[in-house]
Every structure is written in C-alpha cells, then in structure tokens.
Amino acid sequence: MDKIRLTRKGCKGQPAYRLVVADSSSPRDGRFIENLGHYIPTRDPLVLELKEDRILHWLSKGAV
C-alpha cells in the first residue's frame, strides 16, 4: 500500500520537509516513489509548494 507522507530534511532546528509517495513499509526518510512538493515551516512567510495534479493522481490510485 502506498502512502503520501512527509520526509524530514534540513539541519537541527531548521526543518524542511518533502511531501512524497512511499510504500508503507519504507522508513520515514527512506526510499520513496515520487516527490510531490515541499514544505518549509521556518521561513516567513512559510513555503508550501505542491504538485496538485500528481497528488490527485496518487489519491485516485488508492494512496492514503
């Protein structure tokens, strides 16, 4: 089963996240199928960029 989830990147105290599609048995920062966007909460204003068409594609295929 595939899941849409965040993987953590960045240094200690400066998190940056990627929104990815990964197999449910993969570790949090491990192997993924496709990168769907990124999220950086520490910037002002925060950065949130998503590939909406690809997210809808994966949701239609049954990703959770």
Side-chain angles (χ1 to χ4, degrees), residues 3-4 9 15 17-19 21 27 29-30 32 40 43 50 52 56 63:
K3 290 190 174 187
I4 297 176
K9 300 291 178 189
Y17 301 95
R18 285 185 185 165
L19 186 70
V21 177
D29 294 334
F32 62 89
I40 306 172
R43 289 208 182 142
L50 303 173
E52 295 177 24
L56 294 174

Side-chain angles (χ1 to χ4, degrees), residues 1-63:
M1 172 189 256
D2 296 329
K3 290 190 174 187
I4 297 176
R5 60 184 175 190
L6 295 174
T7 61
R8 191 179 194 282
K9 300 291 178 189
C11 300
K12 182 179 178 182
Q14 296 178 340
Y17 301 95
R18 285 185 185 165
L19 186 70
V20 299
V21 177
D23 188 69
S24 60
S25 61
S26 296
R28 180 192 72 180
D29 294 334
R31 193 172 189 185
F32 62 89
I33 301 169
E34 185 177 356
N35 187 4
L36 300 176
H38 63 274
Y39 167 58
I40 306 172
T42 56
R43 289 208 182 142
D44 189 30
L46 64 87
V47 176
L48 178 62
E49 293 183 13
L50 303 173
K51 299 176 186 173
E52 295 177 24
D53 59 329
R54 297 305 296 166
I55 293 171
L56 294 174
H57 168 78
W58 281 104
L59 289 173
S60 70
K61 286 193 164 209

